[in-house]
Amino acid sequence: MKIISYNVNGIRAALTKGFADWLKSANPDVLCLQEIKALEDQIPTEIFTELGYTYQYYHSAEKKGYSGVAILSKIAPKHVEVGTGIDYMDKEGRVLRADFETLSVMSLYLPSGTNIDRLDFKLTFMADFQKYIDKLKQTVPNLVICGDYNICHEAIDIHDPVRNATVSGFLPVEREWLDKFMKSGFIDSFRYFHKEPHQYSWWSYRANARNNNKGWRIDYHLVSTPLENRMERALILPEAKHSDHCPIVLEIRS
């Protein structure tokens, strides 16, 4: 199974930048999207149906043009879970899960902490999400959580760890949470296969950051430990430029 995760920063905007042609070429079995910024009836879903994505699931935010996640699949899931049942999370459309025969795939868009109010919201979300996943793993042990975590784990995952040490996304409290989350039973699939620096998944639109590769790695496929021996490959695809993020890939035996 080839799983791609991509924060598209607006699915309608991405489609105007050649996203559909890229998707046809990339050809994942399952595509997890974040920050779709649209309601389902605003999305030209027939484009994806024509590409073979018969099974499409969307979890949009209540606020128009904001947040939202999706899962598009060529494989029929056994079950789809929209949201977490936690009201404040689900109003922002941040979690969507599809259960397949031997593993489950979740599309996650964890909040950013752009100001003090949103940082408090993010920290609350992180704590509640950990509890939610701890409980979920009791019945869904083979879990792949794909998406935009809005956190760099280690210094290797950010272009300037010193000057960004006080910036949300690289705060000690955020990094500590992500570290503990991984140690609760998840593998950072990209780092499992790749140890080299300067590998990023998001770049600011300012100061020519992408061309200078001054980026952050904040998008992950976190794979539950029972699936370790089934992982085959993980990649970042910086050449895809439909967003300020780029796609990430996981290939795993289904």
Side-chain angles (χ1 to χ4, degrees):
M1 181 184 284
K2 182 179 183 181
I3 305 168
I4 288 183
S5 181
Y6 197 175
N7 179 323
V8 288
N9 194 15
I11 192 168
R12 291 170 292 179
L15 285 166
T16 68
K17 301 173 185 176
F19 176 66
D21 289 338
W22 171 84
L23 180 59
K24 182 178 181 180
S25 177
N27 194 32
D29 300 296
V30 179
L31 175 67
C32 293
L33 300 175
Q34 301 85 42
E35 211 171 352
I36 59 173
K37 294 183 176 181
L39 302 174
E40 184 174 353
D41 62 9
Q42 296 176 309
I43 299 168
T45 57
E46 67 279 0
I47 292 174
F48 303 119
T49 303
E50 290 171 3
L51 292 175
Y53 296 95
T54 306
Y55 309 97
Q56 301 180 34
Y57 308 95
Y58 300 90
H59 182 28
S60 302
E62 288 185 359
K63 180 180 176 182
K64 290 184 177 180
Y66 177 72
S67 189
V69 291
I71 296 178
L72 313 183
S73 179
K74 295 185 174 184
I75 305 164
K78 297 188 303 177
H79 172 74
V80 174
E81 191 71 24
V82 179
T84 61
I86 301 171
D87 185 62
Y88 79 89
M89 287 187 181
D90 295 345
K91 284 182 177 179
E92 294 201 351
R94 292 186 177 274
V95 180
L96 179 64
R97 189 183 88 242
D99 299 335
F100 299 95
E101 287 296 330
T102 66
L103 58 82
S104 296
V105 179
M106 179 180 287
S107 184
L108 168 69
Y109 179 36
L110 202 147
S112 63
T114 50
N115 57 50
I116 189 64
D117 290 338
R118 290 303 290 182
L119 180 58
D120 288 343
F121 180 87
K122 181 179 185 178
L123 297 176
T124 300
F125 187 107
M126 286 154 49
D128 289 343
F129 186 71
Q130 175 79 73
K131 294 173 187 174
Y132 172 75
I133 294 298
D134 287 345
K135 184 176 180 181
L136 179 65
K137 285 195 300 179
Q138 296 173 20
T139 54
V140 185
N142 292 346
L143 182 61
V144 180
I145 306 178
C146 315
D148 177 4
Y149 285 71
N150 267 309
I151 304 170
C152 292
H153 183 212
E154 303 283 4
I156 193 176
D157 299 312
I158 191 167
H159 74 95
D160 190 343
V162 175
R163 281 190 283 187
N164 285 299
T166 59
V167 177
S168 180
F170 198 59
L171 295 174
V173 65
E174 296 168 310
R175 297 172 59 201
E176 181 181 1
W177 176 85
L178 184 55
D179 190 69
K180 288 182 177 179
F181 188 80
M182 291 180 184
K183 289 176 179 175
S184 75
F186 289 94
I187 299 163
D188 178 352
S189 58
F190 181 78
R191 282 287 170 235
Y192 186 87
F193 292 103
H194 305 277
K195 309 302 182 187
E196 65 273 15
H198 314 304
Q199 304 290 315
Y200 308 123
S201 65
W202 175 82
W203 301 261
S204 169
Y205 282 129
R206 298 190 297 270
N208 208 25
R210 190 160 189 164
N211 287 338
N212 293 320
N213 200 29
K214 293 184 176 180
W216 302 40
R217 190 174 73 95
I218 56 177
D219 301 87
Y220 302 83
H221 289 289
L222 296 191
V223 178
S224 61
T225 51
L227 295 171
E228 177 177 4
N229 292 332
R230 288 162 57 182
M231 295 191 304
E232 295 185 331
R233 192 162 70 135
L235 302 167
I236 294 175
L237 303 178
E239 67 277 6
K241 297 180 178 179
H242 316 97
S243 167
D244 50 350
H245 292 251
C246 74
I248 59 172
V249 183
L250 172 68
E251 294 181 4
I252 187 166
R253 291 193 302 278
S254 57

